[in-house]
Amino acid sequence: MSTFVSRLRSLPSVHVTLAVALLVLGFLIAAQIAAERPRVRYSTEERTPLIETALGQQSQQGALKAQILSLRARIGELEAQDPGAAESLRRLYAQLEEARLGAGLIPVSGPGVAFKVEDALQGDVDSLVTARDVRVLVEELWLAGAEGIDVNGERVVGSTAVIDIGGSILVNSAYLAPPYTIRAIGPPDMYARLQASNAFLQFVQRRIQPAGIRLSVAELPNVDLQAFAGTVTVQYARPVDETP
């Protein structure tokens, strides 16, 4: 033992430091290898179900493609059997397009009017534009013959709700801030019809003017309305069977 100690003392300090460094490096490498083993094993185990899922999705996609091709072939057979089938399909497509137009699912363009509603300058609670004010204008525009309406770019359809949310208005799940612009496409005399409506005149006289709410209107040669971008899925309603 004394011989080993004497030899160790006789070695230069650089050699001793190098030996210790190599020893520590060896321990670090061994620890890294030991840590990598379970990680590699985990990745290998996870890969199998991912591959199975991908193959399953490909199989489903292939089945759907085959179903589409089969249906297309069936349509061709029916059209070949009945010369009037193609015309019937064209009528169905025309009816579908008309229904989409009526539901607001298609962008439209045409002559119309635009209302701009702004809070009063004094800024008290009663002078703020509310969802009810917007609803009244929308209802009056429908009654005046409007075929399409939007509020700050949000298309108004049968399922649209206009409600107050804090200092803004919620339309089609979109939070809109004032001022509010209500645009409508309709007949050339739509604004004249509004002016002849007792309900509209009472709204202006009893709500707009006393509260100091600023209401301006413009008749426009062309108004572009975007399509309704929300969901049209019906969850609870069902068609009524009118078959006797």
Side-chain angles (χ1 to χ4, degrees):
M1 181 68 179
S2 58
T3 305
F4 175 76
V5 173
S6 61
R7 288 182 179 178
L8 183 61
R9 289 177 177 175
S10 64
L11 289 174
S13 60
V14 176
H15 292 174
V16 175
T17 304
L18 181 60
V20 174
L22 290 175
L23 182 62
V24 173
L25 180 61
F27 277 115
L28 290 176
I29 293 174
Q32 180 68 23
I33 294 174
E36 287 293 334
R37 287 175 182 171
R39 186 180 302 175
V40 173
R41 184 165 58 251
Y42 174 79
S43 301
T44 305
E45 293 173 354
E46 286 294 322
R47 187 178 182 184
T48 301
L50 289 176
I51 293 175
E52 293 177 354
T53 302
L55 292 176
Q57 293 292 338
Q58 290 179 359
S59 177
Q60 292 179 6
Q61 186 180 28
L64 290 174
K65 288 181 178 179
Q67 186 177 2
I68 291 173
L69 293 175
S70 176
L71 290 173
R72 285 179 178 174
R74 180 59 178 161
I75 291 174
E77 293 174 0
L78 292 175
E79 289 178 348
Q81 293 175 3
D82 183 6
E87 180 61 29
S88 298
L89 285 175
R90 279 194 291 270
R91 286 198 299 269
L92 287 174
Y93 285 135
Q95 293 174 4
L96 176 61
E97 193 73 3
E98 185 177 351
R100 293 179 63 203
L101 180 63
L105 302 180
I106 297 176
V108 292
S109 179
V113 298
F115 283 96
K116 186 177 182 179
V117 195
E118 301 178 79
D119 298 335
L121 295 176
Q122 60 264 31
D124 54 47
V125 176
D126 294 333
S127 63
L128 301 180
V129 180
T130 66
R132 183 181 181 278
D133 300 328
V134 175
R135 288 197 302 267
V136 169
L137 288 173
V138 169
E139 291 168 1
E140 289 300 316
L141 285 168
W142 285 130
L143 293 174
E147 296 178 346
I149 301 175
D150 73 1
V151 179
N152 285 18
E154 284 292 327
R155 187 74 175 269
V156 177
V157 297
S159 61
T160 297
V162 182
I163 57 178
D164 288 306
I165 299 292
S168 63
I169 291 178
L170 186 68
V171 180
N172 292 338
S173 300
Y175 293 93
L176 307 181
Y180 303 105
T181 301
I182 300 117
R183 303 184 305 164
I185 294 175
D189 62 341
M190 184 164 51
Y191 183 54
R193 295 184 186 184
L194 278 174
Q195 292 176 310
S197 168
N198 289 330
F200 177 74
L201 294 177
Q202 290 179 4
F203 170 68
V204 174
Q205 295 170 358
R206 299 179 182 178
R207 166 59 180 161
I208 299 297
Q209 293 177 349
I213 294 175
R214 292 169 289 172
L215 177 65
S216 56
V217 60
E219 296 184 83
L220 304 174
N222 189 74
V223 175
D224 295 321
L225 302 182
Q226 297 298 318
F228 174 64
T231 177
V232 294
T233 303
V234 178
Q235 296 181 354
Y236 305 107
R238 295 291 182 270
V240 176
D241 186 4
E242 299 181 352
T243 304

